[in-house]
Amino acid sequence: MATLNAGQLTLLDWAKRLDPNGGVPDIAELLSQENEILEDAVVIEGNLPTGHRSTIRTGLPEIYFRSINQGIPDSKSTTAQADDACAIMEAHGQVDTELLRLNGNSAAFRLSEDSAFIEGMNQKMAETIFTGNPAADPKQFLGLASRYSSTSAGNGNQVLLAGGAGSDNASVYLVGWSPNKVFMTFPKGSKAGLTSKDLGETMVSDGSGGKYLAAQTMYQWHAGLTVKDWRYVVRIANIDISDWVGVTGTQAWSSATHVLKMMTRALARIPNRNSVRLAFYTNRSVGEGLMTQALDRSSAAALAIQPATTQFGQNIQQLTFLGVPVRIVDKLGIAETLVS
């Protein structure tokens, strides 16, 4: 039975280290159980107060053959630096103090009442990992869709087109998580993941002019995304959902752009699969189709539903493709702009 989290620090691992009293780990566990990508994402502390600066190798040194009594020229590699800024997400939850009193003023009840705020931040983080675009909203961090948006860009070899040309297009992403390849980060000296702060009791409005006493909690999440080695992400874009559901056109079994064939090509573009924690990410429509096809004998050798254990010790049935987990992310939509 495979264990889906091993070897590298995730959000929950960081939270357990930073808060031995259990408050933040409880929140981190809740987040990870609702957002599968947080089980995979490697998290490191940034080296800047506002994010992380990476030194990226852009060229290898020139290598020469030499003969006896003849020297060779000096050579060196070339590098470049890139900064990835972290974004700040924040939400304020409030619970009527009378409601708290009736339920024993327990922290668990207060957390359950504030859980809608946590879920909202959780979904927003998942969405931003893929679709974050500082050009549209400078407060966001740069997501994967913006980084992998053109086949003619410098990383265009990592963008595969699945043939869709209509208005109901989706993407599947293959990500290789590693502290040296692709990782999430938080500002230097701060805490990883979603943190909470008790703001005490204060008078709040009920929206109709009335006031009541409520206990307020501030939730805050500092996070960024760094792609240090662009070769460890592949985006399969322009998946026509209508074709996929009908198993026709660009998604017919015989088509070269069928999702399973594209996923095979995506895996081939990862330089060293053993050096990273790989996972595919897809929306629910594509995920449903993959699970159905996993029951087909013709694809069972590559696409399978296998027993696995999460980092919480839960036994689950995990969809895999050639041994790589396939995760469903609801915030990946079916109306993406066509990629060219």
Side-chain angles (χ1 to χ4, degrees), residues 2 304-308 316-320 323:
I305 299 175
Q306 300 177 335
I316 63 171
Q317 295 296 312
Q318 175 65 55
L319 177 66
T320 64

Side-chain angles (χ1 to χ4, degrees), residues 1-8 10 13 36-42 177 276-279 281 306-320 323-327:
M1 183 177 295
T3 300
L4 298 183
N5 172 44
Q8 297 159 338
T10 65
D13 297 324
E36 290 184 325
I37 193 172
L38 296 180
E39 285 195 53
D40 304 318
V42 173
W177 299 102
V276 294
R277 181 188 299 154
L278 280 172
Y281 301 99
Q306 300 177 335
T309 304
T310 71
Q311 59 181 311
F312 311 107
Q314 299 170 328
N315 295 327
I316 63 171
Q317 295 296 312
Q318 175 65 55
L319 177 66
T320 64
V324 177
V326 179
R327 306 288 211 171

Side-chain angles (χ1 to χ4, degrees), residues 170-187:
S171 292
V172 171
Y173 291 84
L174 174 62
V175 181
W177 299 102
S178 163
N180 295 314
K181 304 295 190 292
V182 183
F183 53 88
M184 295 194 69
T185 187
F186 58 97

